Amino acid sequence: MAIQKIFLAGRWCEGRGEPMRSTFPADGSLNAELRAADVNDVNEAVEAAERAWRDPQWRGLVPHQRAAVLYRVSDLINQQLETLAQLQTRDNGKPLAETRGLVASAAATARYFAAACEVLEGELPTQRNSEVMTLSQYQPLGVIAAITPWNSPIASEMQKVAPALAAGNAVILKPAEATPLMALKLAELFEQAGLPAGLLSVLPGKGSVIGEALARHPLVKKISFTGGTGTGRHLAHIAAEKLIPTSLELGGKSPTIVLEDADLEQAARGICYGIFSSAGQACIAGSRLFVHRSLYQPLLARLCELAGGLRLGDPRQPGVHMGPLINDKHRQSVAAYVALARQEGGRVLIGGEAPADPQLADGSYYLPTIIDGLSNDARVCQEEIFGPVLVAMPFDDEQQLVAMANDSVYGLAAGIWSRDFPRAMALAEQLETGTVWVNTYKTFSISTPFGGVKQSGLGREKGLHGIKAYMQQKSLYLALTHQVNRWSD
């Protein structure tokens, strides 16, 4: 098998780092071999990016000309949707039904930020002084370090690359070590779309090497990171030392709330999707379930029925609900949390182990798992498991509910199930999260900002906030008269 090359400042070459392997989580088979980037590659890419974003060939383009590149990328993605979905399924093991949606989302993201680039305006602040007019402009930051996770590669990567380029920056993309292929394919698409050389590099490798070198490089003017809270906190320290902005989309332990007037079937199916789709490998997964005591037993019975009917298997096959976890090391981590739940007094109502099916033995599969009998201060209720594990707890009154839901270091998302919209909206106001869904879950719009509070992150992606996050504001004062300043008389 030929060595997969990396994309460094507009050219395809072998990395100068250690050998890497990309494998299919469903059976461990080889996807690709490549050499990781190293610090020398980082330095070369950043220096080329600094030259490229300052070059009038990019910086001097009017917005609709920059937008044209993103429109072409969107068209290329749509033309190759099935091929790209198949590649992402090989890259991280998600079922094709999910990866098709993620690829379509990436195309829509490129198109949205192309349009945002075209319509983004400065501001003319109101002035009381008739002798001076003020203008507010938005300008690019420079070189952006974009560091992405393995659970939704093409969607996460486009949510950083598209707005950063639309804003006039250059981007160094560091994909997760486990999933380098989609980022490299994205580089190929941008190259085909006519992006000038140097504005995008894709450097696979270890976060402790490539991510660290990028974050600390003096020419990098912003760090945009999606991943674990510990790494995010470390990157925030580096950004603080450099006095540069950072966007951090981190972990979650999202509460899902079922009020006594909820539609039980609607809630059960939404909760099932919210925790078990993507095999629970989502920062927004609804992993803590709070149910009014009057509905607790019937809802748990229905959830167990739904979980028991989910089909695990080869993610390339139609009708599969859950593919494998990303690798066996991660499956062991999920299994250790379930063992901890048992030690803490939890009851495993369904799942709690790897499937017995011998056809799944070569993959990193884990059964959908539902646990009850624990209080919200249990470790499995406080720590992110990042797998198909739901912990259910009853509540009796709303004051108790709000206290439990907010009793977490995280604040990324939440779900509410109720027929009473005024009550649900009032409850949503009290939840300390960046996103709240009512009678739905994991529904997204590229035009709506997304991000977390507390240890779930800083800043927002998507929407017009998403492009301004990669720009810096400048104020201009224009004198409207020829009056001479007589201060020095």
Side-chain angles (χ1 to χ4, degrees):
M1 177 180 288
I3 298 293
Q4 167 72 55
K5 294 183 178 180
I6 68 172
F7 190 65
L8 200 166
R11 63 186 179 89
W12 294 92
C13 59
E14 283 193 23
R16 286 173 273 193
E18 296 296 318
M20 290 176 59
R21 290 165 57 90
S22 166
T23 57
F24 184 30
D27 59 16
S29 59
L30 182 67
N31 291 330
E33 293 182 325
L34 62 159
R35 295 189 70 88
D38 72 356
V39 174
N40 294 313
D41 295 319
V42 170
N43 292 334
E44 183 178 338
V46 172
E47 288 166 8
E50 175 71 11
R51 293 191 298 270
W53 84 269
R54 292 185 180 278
D55 192 321
Q57 184 183 11
W58 185 248
R59 191 174 188 177
L61 293 179
V62 293
H64 78 268
Q65 292 174 320
R66 281 204 303 273
V69 174
L70 292 170
Y71 284 127
R72 287 195 289 270
V73 168
S74 178
D75 290 340
L76 287 168
I77 291 173
N78 281 321
Q79 291 165 16
Q80 302 176 45
L81 192 149
E82 186 62 25
T83 300
L84 293 171
Q86 293 274 356
L87 180 61
Q88 175 140 338
T89 292
R90 289 284 316 188
D91 215 10
N92 75 348
K94 280 192 172 184
L96 274 172
E98 289 191 42
T99 57
R100 290 185 184 112
L102 291 169
V103 173
S105 170
T109 297
R111 185 164 294 275
Y112 175 84
F113 283 112
C117 172
E118 291 187 288
V119 303
L120 188 67
E121 298 176 343
E123 296 153 7
L124 188 66
T126 301
Q127 274 292 321
R128 296 182 183 274
N129 185 349
S130 61
E131 297 179 353
V132 176
M133 180 174 68
T134 60
L135 303 175
S136 183
Q137 295 181 340
Y138 293 91
Q139 298 182 329
L141 290 165
V143 180
I144 308 298
I147 304 172
T148 55
W150 47 259
N151 58 327
S152 299
I154 194 169
S156 295
E157 287 150 5
M158 191 61 88
Q159 284 171 22
K160 299 181 188 301
V161 173
L165 290 175
N169 303 285
V171 183
I172 315 296
L173 175 60
K174 208 298 282 186
E177 189 178 359
T179 54
L181 301 185
M182 290 308 298
L184 292 167
K185 185 64 178 179
L186 203 58
E188 181 183 318
L189 296 175
F190 271 100
E191 184 181 38
Q192 291 174 18
L195 184 72
L199 287 167
L200 176 64
S201 292
V202 177
L203 304 182
K206 291 183 179 295
S208 59
V209 177
I210 307 305
E212 186 80 5
L214 276 173
R216 293 190 181 279
H217 199 289
L219 292 178
V220 168
K221 300 305 182 185
K222 174 168 179 162
I223 303 166
S224 181
F225 171 77
T226 299
T229 297
T231 302
R233 188 181 294 111
H234 173 68
L235 292 173
H237 279 290
I238 295 174
E241 290 170 1
K242 294 174 62 179
L243 290 178
I244 63 171
T246 181
S247 295
L248 304 174
E249 200 265 273
L250 308 177
K253 196 68 182 176
S254 300
T256 301
I257 295 163
V258 182
L259 301 181
E260 64 269 28
D261 64 346
D263 180 317
L264 190 145
E265 184 66 11
Q266 182 189 42
R269 289 187 175 273
I271 292 161
C272 184
Y273 175 72
I275 181 61
F276 297 133
S277 62
S278 304
Q281 298 172 118
C283 52
I284 54 171
S287 53
R288 289 187 298 152
L289 175 60
F290 299 101
V291 186
H292 191 272
R293 197 173 296 275
S294 64
L295 286 181
Y296 188 72
Q297 292 303 332
L299 181 64
L300 282 193
R302 182 62 178 134
L303 282 170
C304 287
E305 185 179 16
L306 290 171
L310 295 177
R311 293 182 291 276
L312 277 68
D314 188 325
R316 298 167 297 183
Q317 299 302 314
V320 168
H321 294 110
M322 286 175 53
L325 301 181
I326 187 65
N327 53 43
D328 191 59
K329 180 181 178 181
H330 185 54
R331 180 172 63 175
Q332 291 176 29
S333 172
V334 172
Y337 269 112
V338 174
L340 176 62
R342 288 188 170 105
Q343 293 170 14
E344 292 181 306
R347 295 183 295 271
V348 176
L349 303 181
I350 191 169
E353 60 186 359
D357 186 347
Q359 293 186 340
L360 304 180
D362 292 333
S364 305
Y365 293 91
Y366 199 82
L367 290 171
T369 299
I370 300 175
I371 300 169
D372 83 337
L374 293 170
S375 63
N376 189 58
D377 59 0
R379 280 183 58 190
V380 292
C381 296
Q382 293 294 318
E383 298 176 17
E384 186 175 38
I385 298 174
F386 218 68
V389 179
L390 177 68
V391 183
M393 291 162 280
F395 71 89
D396 295 298
D397 63 76
E398 203 160 303
Q399 185 176 0
Q400 175 198 29
L401 163 67
V402 171
M404 289 193 299
N406 288 336
D407 181 17
S408 172
V409 297
Y410 297 109
L412 191 57
I416 300 171
W417 302 90
S418 172
R419 289 186 173 95
D420 187 339
F421 278 97
R423 183 184 178 193
M425 292 298 289
L427 178 57
E429 289 285 333
Q430 300 177 71
L431 297 178
E432 297 170 353
T433 66
T435 295
V436 180
W437 289 286
V438 178
N439 293 336
T440 185
Y441 207 87
K442 291 176 76 173
T443 302
F444 287 107
S445 167
I446 186 58
S447 62
T448 304
F450 177 77
V453 300
K454 298 192 283 189
Q455 292 190 30
S456 286
L458 298 169
R460 294 293 181 267
E461 293 187 326
K462 303 184 179 182
L464 291 180
H465 293 269
I467 189 169
K468 288 183 178 179
Y470 292 96
M471 307 182 87
Q472 52 194 344
Q473 182 273 341
K474 176 184 285 185
S475 297
L476 289 82
Y477 289 76
L478 308 179
L480 300 179
T481 73
H482 294 290
Q483 183 175 347
V484 175
N485 187 321
R486 297 296 183 184
W487 174 83
S488 58
D489 286 353

